[in-house]
Amino acid sequence: MRDIALAVVILGLLPFVLRRPAIGALMWAWVSIMNPHQLTYGFARSIPWAMIIALTTLVALAFSKQRKPLPKSGGVAILLMFMAWMTLSSAFALNPEPAEVWDKWVVMLKIFVMLFVTLMLLRGRKEIEWLIWVIVLSLAYFGVKGGIFTAATGGSYRVWGPPGGMIEGNNELAVALIIAMPFMYYLRGVSAKRWIRLAMLGCMITCAFAALGTQSRGALLAGTAMGLVLGLKGKHPVRSTVALAIVGAGIIAFMPDSWTQRMDTIADYREDNSAMQRIWAWTVLWNAALDRPLVGVGFRADNVAVFSRYGNVPGFEQFSSAYTPTAHSSYLQALGEHGFPGLFLFLSIGVWIWFTAAALARRAANDPELSTWVPLLMKMCQVSVLGFGVGAAFLSLVLFDVPYYILGIVVLVQTAVNEKMAANAGKAIAPIPQTLNGAPNVGIRPPAA
């Protein structure tokens, strides 16, 4: 039944994509983030829905008059440079299986190309909020379900993500939920409908339960940082911060002793084998970057050949033969795979989001129309990227598409603000009418001969 329902929904929407390609961009975001086909058990599971949606959208884009130029933005420029640099590093990869490298490169290409397509198709507040709704609902499905499961079982079991996707692991799912929660806050803040505000509040609470239910130590740190900044950047900073602190303390108090004991290993990391494996992996990738500082070792640095070459680290001999290579940090992953320029570009994305969002919030604050949504949305983009920034320190998420959608949202808002400001400037310099109530305007004097 799930297979039929999914096929009917996707195939039924494809004709509308040909008429309005923006629908295809939103469908791509839904399928790539949520992976709904992985929740089926029959024929729909093996169908390449993402490829079908992408091809249909690209065909529609090629012939559509709704296509807009790619926004001229620093964020877009950074993405283009990052994409080019990852292509260069792939050409010099050390992985003994080149197919693995280029398979990962194709994944990167799909993410970036479809993000650019999205930036060419969506415009204005309504369509930006459509994208936010797609991101929120795609992740809230797992957050609400996982939160209810955590509450029902007393937090005794771990919550896992959907199989086969980027957020399959418990740690990855936790960070994804933390990224989504600020956008739930935004939708709650701008909605005029009470049931939507209540629904978003319920989603935030259950997603918080689910994030802690993953028993991810990185999620605890990311969630703490995100919650603090979320409260400070909310509409009512003091009230929001106190409310979030009370809710967070209540949820933590609800968790069992096994959860508390696991979180305590953050301080006692030297006695935790998993934490020491991470430190060894980071040392390996650092050594790889020092050896190849410009291009790194290319995609899929998490292979035996790379870890054998750079893994002879004193004090970590126990991991050299029995450890499955994993970067365990997006920053070290970017550094090891793409060198110091790659790490710089990866960090530049977050820095650009933070400062551009702050500038847009200030610019829109005095506009009667923009001030109703832009400042809050930009603050939530800052909160979201901060949550990702903390969580990404412990996970390999360089090719996780949701953070790039955050950049896309900021670019689209930047475009909307620039267009509105240009329109306002045009109105401000409108010519003085030559007549007043049908009679000549005597206040106007012709120029002297």
Side-chain angles (χ1 to χ4, degrees):
M1 187 63 183
R2 291 186 182 185
D3 298 76
I4 296 174
L6 181 64
V8 168
V9 170
I10 294 180
L11 296 177
L13 287 173
L14 289 180
F16 295 95
V17 174
L18 296 174
R19 295 182 59 184
R20 190 167 186 182
I23 297 175
L26 298 174
M27 290 177 64
W28 168 269
W30 167 49
V31 171
S32 62
I33 295 172
M34 185 178 178
N35 285 304
H37 55 289
Q38 295 294 341
L39 304 177
T40 63
Y41 303 101
F43 69 90
R45 192 180 185 92
S46 58
I47 295 177
W49 296 113
M51 183 180 70
I52 293 172
I53 293 170
L55 291 177
T56 305
T57 305
L58 290 172
V59 170
L61 177 73
F63 296 97
S64 176
K65 295 181 180 180
Q66 301 170 14
R67 179 181 69 247
K68 306 292 192 303
L70 192 64
K72 295 179 180 179
S73 169
V76 173
I78 293 172
L79 287 181
L80 288 170
M81 288 188 290
F82 193 32
M83 182 172 66
W85 195 261
M86 287 189 286
T87 302
L88 179 65
S89 67
S90 298
F92 294 92
L94 288 184
N95 193 316
E97 298 292 336
E100 292 184 355
V101 176
W102 293 109
D103 285 346
K104 208 69 174 179
W105 178 83
V106 169
V107 173
M108 178 274 296
L109 190 67
K110 291 177 182 177
I111 293 172
F112 281 59
V113 168
M114 290 308 295
L115 178 58
F116 293 144
V117 168
T118 302
L119 296 178
M120 296 170 68
L121 290 172
L122 302 186
R123 286 295 184 275
R125 176 181 178 178
K126 181 186 293 185
E127 295 184 356
I128 292 172
E129 290 185 349
W130 286 351
L131 178 59
I132 294 172
W133 273 110
V134 169
I135 295 171
V136 165
L137 294 179
S138 296
L139 295 173
Y141 173 84
F142 304 107
V144 172
K145 186 173 69 170
I148 294 174
F149 173 78
T150 298
T153 60
S156 301
Y157 302 94
R158 288 190 188 181
V159 175
W160 298 88
M166 181 64 74
I167 58 174
E168 178 178 6
N170 63 314
N171 298 295
E172 290 78 4
L173 175 63
V175 172
L177 295 178
I178 288 168
I179 293 174
M181 288 171 65
F183 293 110
M184 297 176 189
Y185 186 95
Y186 167 76
L187 294 174
R188 179 177 181 271
V190 298
S191 178
K193 297 181 179 179
R194 186 171 182 269
W195 71 269
I196 293 181
R197 296 198 300 270
L198 292 175
M200 288 298 102
L201 179 61
C203 284
M204 292 177 66
I205 294 174
T206 51
C207 284
F209 266 102
L212 293 180
T214 62
Q215 299 189 15
S216 169
R217 291 163 293 190
L220 177 63
L221 298 176
T224 301
M226 183 274 293
L228 177 61
V229 181
L230 177 61
L232 295 176
K233 288 187 173 290
K235 288 186 175 181
H236 309 285
V238 176
R239 186 166 59 185
S240 297
T241 302
V242 172
L244 288 170
I246 293 174
V247 172
I251 296 175
I252 290 175
F254 173 84
M255 302 303 290
D257 292 340
S258 59
W259 181 89
T260 304
Q261 293 170 2
R262 179 170 174 78
M263 297 304 110
D264 287 342
T265 60
I266 295 175
D268 302 327
Y269 67 92
R270 290 183 179 85
E271 300 177 7
D272 182 73
N273 192 55
S274 176
M276 295 307 292
Q277 287 178 348
R278 281 175 165 80
I279 294 175
W280 177 69
W282 298 342
T283 306
V284 171
L285 294 172
W286 175 256
N287 290 339
L290 292 179
D291 184 51
R292 297 165 63 93
L294 290 180
V295 295
V297 298
F299 280 121
R300 293 303 307 270
D302 54 342
N303 67 81
V304 175
V306 170
F307 272 67
S308 297
R309 179 170 178 172
Y310 300 106
N312 186 21
V313 181
F316 292 92
E317 294 82 2
Q318 70 272 27
F319 300 132
S320 299
S321 59
Y323 174 66
T324 301
T326 305
H328 284 306
S329 171
S330 297
Y331 307 119
L332 272 299
Q333 179 189 9
L335 176 64
E337 291 185 342
H338 311 295
F340 285 93
L343 174 62
F344 173 78
L345 290 170
F346 182 66
L347 293 173
S348 296
I349 292 172
V351 172
W352 184 88
I353 290 173
W354 185 272
F355 287 101
T356 304
L360 290 172
R362 290 193 300 268
R363 287 181 64 192
N366 296 323
D367 185 276
E369 181 181 341
L370 296 175
S371 61
T372 61
W373 66 283
V374 170
L376 180 60
L377 178 55
M378 292 299 92
K379 290 176 182 178
M380 293 306 102
C381 285
Q382 288 180 309
V383 176
S384 185
V385 80
L386 175 68
F388 172 76
V390 176
F394 308 99
L395 298 170
S396 307
L397 294 174
V398 169
L399 292 185
F400 184 34
D401 44 4
V402 175
Y404 298 112
Y405 273 112
I406 299 175
L407 182 142
I409 290 170
V410 176
V411 170
L412 291 174
V413 172
Q414 184 183 46
T415 303
V417 171
N418 289 340
E419 291 176 352
K420 184 65 164 55
M421 295 299 180
N424 290 345
K427 293 178 181 178
I429 60 173
I432 300 174
Q434 298 295 311
T435 61
L436 185 63
N437 297 326
N441 190 341
V442 296
I444 300 175
R445 296 288 184 269

